[in-house]
Amino acid sequence: MEKLVFQGKDGDSAEFYVLEQTRMSGVNYLLVTDSEEDDGECLILKDTSEDQDQESLYEIVEDEKELDAVLTVFEEL
């Protein structure tokens, strides 16, 4: 399982393990967890960066419709 370190706007960092990734409507999404072994918290992150950006910018998906749609895709994977 790939581990990524995310840097917050406030300078704090958080480590997440990538469970799955997908692309919908031209947008990349990651299904991540905060624990490699235990029952950790899972989040769906959305890449909000522009194509020309050198670094990705991920935000937690909070919109219910978008969350349901992406979750359905991850369940099929």
Side-chain angles (χ1 to χ4, degrees), residues 54-67:
Q54 292 183 357
E55 293 185 7
S56 295
L57 177 62
Y58 284 93
E59 294 181 0
I60 298 171
V61 176
E62 295 180 3
D63 178 74
E64 288 296 321
K65 285 184 179 181
E66 182 179 18
L67 190 59

Side-chain angles (χ1 to χ4, degrees), residues 9-26:
K9 291 180 183 177
D10 57 2
D12 290 341
S13 63
E15 296 179 353
F16 290 103
Y17 297 92
V18 179
L19 299 172
E20 291 287 346
Q21 62 183 19
T22 193
R23 186 171 178 85
M24 283 180 39
S25 301

Side-chain angles (χ1 to χ4, degrees), residues 3-7 13-16:
K3 180 171 100 174
L4 298 176
V5 178
F6 292 89
Q7 187 81 27
S13 63
E15 296 179 353
F16 290 103

Side-chain angles (χ1 to χ4, degrees), residues 26 39 42 70:
D39 289 336
C42 287
V70 177

Side-chain angles (χ1 to χ4, degrees), residues 27-66:
V27 178
N28 292 321
Y29 293 91
L30 298 177
L31 175 62
V32 300
T33 183
D34 60 356
S35 176
E36 186 174 26
E37 297 175 15
D38 300 19
D39 289 336
E41 180 180 353
C42 287
L43 299 169
I44 296 178
L45 304 177
K46 175 182 182 177
D47 185 354
T48 60
S49 60
E50 299 294 327
D51 289 336
Q52 69 271 13
D53 292 344
Q54 292 183 357
E55 293 185 7
S56 295
L57 177 62
Y58 284 93
E59 294 181 0
I60 298 171
V61 176
E62 295 180 3
D63 178 74
E64 288 296 321
K65 285 184 179 181
E66 182 179 18

